Amino acid sequence: MTPTILVSIWVPRLLRGLLLVVLLAFLLSPESFESLLKPLVQPNAPAIYNQGSLLTITLLHLRTVFLATVAATVIAVLLAILVTRPFGAEFLPLSRSLVNIGQTFPPVAVLALSVPAVGFGEKPTLIALFLYGLLPIFENTLTALTNLPRPVMEAAKGSGMTSIQRLLKVELPLSLPVIVGGIRLSVVIGLATATIGSTVAAKTLGEVIIAGLQSNNLAFVLQGGLIVGALAVLIYDALGAVEAMLARRAGLA
């Protein structure tokens, strides 16, 4: 490899590694960064969020996003499989309408409608993130399943595979890289959107940002925003690496 190619490969990796180290250091020992944040706050105001553990809040934020993404993945993939089968093709318009609900309704509106039904806390946030995350996973899965290599599918049919065997052994493995691409988009959307869950008493990084806005503490706002941003970059890149690895294994890259 030429030096230019090596630099283009390793510099981003080093930067991501550095970002991960800094993020972990801040979450494990935020007091170490107090001197950097002190100029952003008024005299005698705390520079580090002091109404809870940043590490605990971050883990709860990630848990909420994870649960919503898993649920969205299961439903979106099953819907895409259904509408790509001969017996389910007529449900494609209905399925598209369903998965578009999350994109047409603002998350705040979903929270407002969910609270009377399920109460305050994590549940309404999960509903909002679930609805918001359906579309990219569904569309990617649909695209992958409807654009499989015809020679491969004909070979699978010719070998005597049943439709279930073709789905499990050929279609889904070949579609997996594109599906992961949809999950990657859904996770990033969820990481940012989950912050509004704190408006209905969910434990997310949004409470750090809201506390900063209420007390005019720019350091709090910056902490919540930067943690969410760092998580989005790291998880997006990690899932991108998984997507590339699956594509290589499937012979698509």
Side-chain angles (χ1 to χ4, degrees):
M1 290 186 182
T2 64
T4 303
I5 295 176
L6 287 173
V7 169
S8 66
I9 292 174
W10 284 105
V11 168
R13 291 181 180 179
L14 289 173
L15 291 175
R16 286 193 292 268
L18 179 61
L19 177 61
L20 177 60
V21 170
V22 172
L23 176 62
L24 290 175
F26 181 73
L27 292 176
L28 294 172
S29 181
E31 300 81 12
S32 304
F33 295 79
E34 186 172 6
S35 59
L36 295 175
L37 296 169
K38 202 68 177 175
L40 301 176
V41 300
Q42 299 173 356
N44 301 321
I48 301 297
Y49 184 70
N50 57 357
Q51 299 173 31
S53 166
L54 283 172
L55 177 60
T56 300
I57 295 171
T58 300
L59 292 176
L60 291 172
H61 186 104
L62 288 172
R63 184 189 71 174
T64 300
V65 175
F66 174 77
L67 292 175
T69 303
V70 169
T73 299
V74 171
I75 298 302
V77 171
L78 288 177
L79 274 177
I81 291 172
L82 171 67
V83 299
T84 53
R85 305 305 100 180
F87 60 84
E90 61 184 290
F91 296 105
L92 177 56
L94 175 61
S95 298
R96 274 218 163 98
S97 298
L98 290 174
V99 300
N100 272 293
I101 289 176
Q103 300 293 326
T104 54
F105 268 81
V108 175
V110 177
L111 289 176
L113 293 172
S114 301
V115 167
V118 299
F120 288 90
E122 187 180 33
K123 290 180 181 179
T125 307
L126 286 171
I127 293 172
L129 296 185
F130 166 75
L131 292 175
Y132 221 56
L134 282 172
L135 183 62
I137 303 174
F138 174 80
E139 288 295 345
N140 274 38
T141 306
L142 185 65
T143 299
L145 291 174
T146 53
N147 289 280
L148 294 168
R150 183 169 294 180
V152 174
M153 297 306 299
E154 290 177 351
K157 286 182 182 180
S159 66
M161 285 186 176
T162 65
S163 58
I164 296 295
Q165 288 174 327
R166 290 197 301 272
L167 174 65
L168 297 178
K169 296 183 178 181
V170 179
E171 295 181 51
L172 287 178
L174 288 176
S175 302
L176 200 52
V178 182
I179 296 173
V180 171
I183 294 172
R184 181 163 60 142
L185 292 174
S186 181
V187 167
V188 172
I189 292 171
L191 282 168
T193 308
T195 55
I196 66 170
S198 294
T199 60
V200 291
K203 276 286 184 180
T204 73
L205 287 162
E207 75 175 55
V208 182
I209 298 172
I210 292 172
L213 293 173
Q214 290 176 337
S215 60
N216 196 27
N217 189 318
L218 182 58
F220 285 5
V221 176
L222 192 63
Q223 286 164 58
L226 288 180
I227 293 172
V228 172
L231 289 173
V233 170
L234 292 170
I235 294 175
Y236 186 84
D237 285 348
L239 289 175
V242 172
E243 183 182 347
M245 179 191 69
L246 292 171
R248 287 193 298 270
R249 286 187 177 181
L252 301 175

